Amino acid sequence: MKEYIMRGVTYTSLALLLILFSVSCKTPHVQRMTEDSVTDLSGRWNETDSRITAEEISNELAAHPWYNTFTSQNNGKKPVIIVGMVTNKSHEHIPTETFSLDIEKSMINSGRMSVVQGGSKREELRAERADQQNNASVGTMKAFGLERGADFMLQGTINSIVDQYGKEKTIYYQINLELTHLQSNDKVWIGDKKIKKYLGNKRLK
């Protein structure tokens, strides 16, 4: 009798192991999506927040009076902008470099602003020019001192507030950006973008 019981326990254990193994080895469903698809699985900052915020900032920059003032004073010349530091002061890790690139992309795609390279990438470009002085032919080497100087610098911060009660939570993001004239240090534009998300079982109106 004991032997039958032991066999039953063994078979049951094997069956459970097989079930667990099959569940753990189940291939997840993968679905390709378009780049501009709106996704929000965790409620955290994601690529949709970055892209939409960058597009709205670019549109607001071009629609603000500073833009027409600059172009009218410079014979229709497009303003040259360098994107400076965007500081993450939120409660979570946010890849600010990706957000900065989204801003640069939106400004360039608008066709109304020029963007110049900054930071470590600019230093890499300068190192390449320095190398060309010794290793490139005279006809192809790029000279020093011919970089296009930026007219304005865009800088900003990302802040967040989390409010939680039980299993319900709201996450509030505020992105503040400032555009400063590099010659005079005048702030010519201050903008912000607010994003609020609710995580819970209720369907809010």
Side-chain angles (χ1 to χ4, degrees):
M1 183 69 177
K2 186 180 293 185
E3 183 179 349
Y4 286 118
I5 293 173
M6 291 300 295
R7 285 182 180 177
V9 170
T10 302
Y11 291 145
T12 303
S13 299
L14 285 172
L16 287 172
L17 284 172
L18 287 172
I19 291 170
L20 290 172
F21 181 76
S22 63
V23 170
S24 63
C25 294
K26 185 178 180 181
T27 304
H29 174 68
V30 177
Q31 178 180 341
R32 291 190 178 274
M33 306 174 70
T34 59
E35 180 186 353
D36 57 353
S37 298
V38 177
T39 56
D40 213 335
L41 301 178
S42 65
R44 293 191 293 269
W45 176 276
N46 58 32
E47 77 284 354
T48 299
D49 300 316
S50 180
R51 175 177 52 80
I52 292 176
T53 301
E55 290 172 355
E56 291 185 4
I57 287 168
S58 178
N59 292 334
E60 188 177 336
L61 275 170
H64 194 272
W66 77 267
Y67 183 89
N68 289 332
T69 300
F70 178 86
T71 55
S72 63
Q73 291 175 349
N74 292 273
N75 299 318
K77 172 183 174 287
K78 292 191 295 186
V80 180
I81 298 175
I82 184 169
V83 177
M85 185 176 294
V86 177
T87 306
N88 176 25
K89 295 184 177 180
S90 74
H91 70 288
E92 64 186 66
H93 170 71
I94 293 178
T96 54
E97 183 178 2
T98 302
F99 178 51
S100 296
L101 285 172
D102 281 341
I103 294 175
E104 291 179 339
K105 178 182 177 181
S106 295
M107 289 193 295
I108 292 171
N109 288 348
S110 73
R112 305 185 70 181
M113 291 164 272
S114 297
V115 178
V116 292
Q117 193 66 269
S120 60
K121 292 181 180 178
R122 179 172 57 186
E123 296 307 315
E124 185 179 4
L125 289 167
R126 289 174 177 172
E128 169 59 22
R129 275 196 295 275
D131 182 76
Q132 286 186 11
Q133 308 309 306
N134 296 321
N135 299 298
S137 65
V138 175
T140 61
M141 73 170 60
K142 304 304 178 286
F144 286 114
L146 297 178
E147 295 179 21
R148 181 185 294 184
D151 301 304
F152 302 91
M153 176 176 281
L154 185 70
Q155 300 165 297
T157 59
I158 303 175
N159 293 278
S160 67
I161 299 173
V162 178
D163 185 18
Q164 184 167 6
Y165 182 76
K167 294 183 178 180
E168 293 184 287
K169 179 167 65 174
T170 59
I171 305 176
Y172 172 82
Y173 298 97
Q174 180 160 326
I175 302 91
N176 296 99
L177 291 163
E178 300 177 348
L179 189 70
T180 306
H181 192 278
L182 282 170
Q183 182 68 44
S184 64
N185 271 0
D186 290 338
K187 292 183 181 181
V188 299
W189 174 86
I190 297 177
D192 63 72
K193 166 69 176 174
K194 300 176 177 68
I195 301 171
K196 191 171 184 179
K197 302 182 182 184
Y198 166 77
L199 286 76
N201 297 322
K202 295 180 181 177
R203 185 174 293 275
L204 303 181
K205 294 182 179 180

